[in-house]
């Protein structure tokens, strides 16, 4: 571990304690005050809640979008709408080294059906890690209520896998708080949400969620997989 990495880890460990009960605004103010331009806000373009919160503190934030080549048209449309509504934002489209056609040629078509973990690694995890290598911190919209695997998500933590500080400003938000923010502030939301897609990823691996079911049940339906590998 380099000296710079050790310093960042120590910073994250200290902030994890000091900001354990921080509001989203306080967490983002700390992020901007600590890192300046040296952080990026991640968004899957299911909604613009995190982007809206971040731009209130820093209007020209970098926003990371994983352009997997498998997105719904509505997701791409939401990304483009974000660029219009928040004109100072710089959207960073992280792409896999191979196009979908090149991946199909090497691994065979529909890798996502046969080995979804490998597909996620190639089209999400590797491009994410490469992009995050340009920053000292990243901000995510992970919430504790999203899934059992996220129940203990801290506001600030050290991301060992990617080697930088990770900030989760809305980790403590309930679903009601999240929906209220969207309603009260007129936040952009992917139109697929209103027709039953409550956890949106790549089109081949995302399905509508049955009424009352766990929102994450629409991801990789029928398989044991529950995470794409970005957050655990």
């Amino acid at each position: 571990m380099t000296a710079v990495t050790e310093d960042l880890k120590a910073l994250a460990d200290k902030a994890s304690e000091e900001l354990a009960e921080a509001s989203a605004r306080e967490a983002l103010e700390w992020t901007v005050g600590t890192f300046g331009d040296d952080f990026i806000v991640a968004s899957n373009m299911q909604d613009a809640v995190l982007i809206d919160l971040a731009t209130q503190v820093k209007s020209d934030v970098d926003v990371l979008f994983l352009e997997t080549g498998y997105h719904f048209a509505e997701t791409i449309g939401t990304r483009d709408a974000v660029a219009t509504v928040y004109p100072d934002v710089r959207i960073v489209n992280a792409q896999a080294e191979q196009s979908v056609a090149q991946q199909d040629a090497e691994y065979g078509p529909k890798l996502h059906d046969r080995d979804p973990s490998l597909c996620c690694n190639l089209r999400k995890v590797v491009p994410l890690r490469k992009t995050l290598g340009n920053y000292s911190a990243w901000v995510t919209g992970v919430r504790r209520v999203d899934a059992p695997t996220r129940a203990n998500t801290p506001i600030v933590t050290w991301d060992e896998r990617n080697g930088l500080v990770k900030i989760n400003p809305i980790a403590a938000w309930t679903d009601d708080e999240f929906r209220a923010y969207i309603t009260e502030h007129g936040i952009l939301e992917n139109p697929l949400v209103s027709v039953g897609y409550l956890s949106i990823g790549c089109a081949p691996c995302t399905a509508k969620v049955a009424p009352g079911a766990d929102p994450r049940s629409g991801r990789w339906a029928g398989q044991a997989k529950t995470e794409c590998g970005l957050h655990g």
Side-chain angles (χ1 to χ4, degrees), residues 7 16 60 63 68 80 84 97 157 169 185 192 209 231:
D7 289 345
S16 183
D60 59 344
V63 172
T68 65
D80 295 345
T84 299
E97 294 181 1
T157 188
H185 298 274
L192 291 173
V209 174
H231 303 290

Side-chain angles (χ1 to χ4, degrees), residues 75-150:
T75 300
I76 299 301
T78 302
R79 178 201 63 186
D80 295 345
V82 162
T84 299
V85 174
Y86 305 94
D88 292 337
V89 159
R90 185 175 80 95
I91 295 178
V92 178
N93 293 294
Q95 297 179 301
E97 294 181 1
Q98 294 179 311
S99 67
V100 171
Q102 289 170 330
Q103 179 174 294
D104 288 350
E106 179 170 348
Y107 296 95
K110 297 186 177 181
L111 179 63
H112 46 75
D113 290 346
R114 293 177 288 104
D115 192 341
S117 292
L118 176 57
C119 190
C120 281
N121 187 66
L122 293 170
R123 310 211 69 77
K124 292 184 177 181
V125 177
V126 173
L128 174 73
R129 185 176 298 130
K130 183 177 180 180
T131 302
L132 293 183
N134 298 317
Y135 300 88
S136 294
W138 68 309
V139 178
T140 87
V142 170
R143 293 187 297 134
R144 295 165 189 160
V145 298
D146 285 340
T149 53
R150 302 179 180 185

Side-chain angles (χ1 to χ4, degrees), residues 164-187:
L164 76 171
V165 181
K166 185 177 183 182
I167 302 97
N168 308 296
I170 59 174
W173 282 24
T174 64
D175 286 339
D176 287 343
E177 289 172 321
F178 190 82
R179 293 306 315 171
Y181 189 87
I182 289 175
T183 301
E184 292 171 10
H185 298 274
I187 302 302

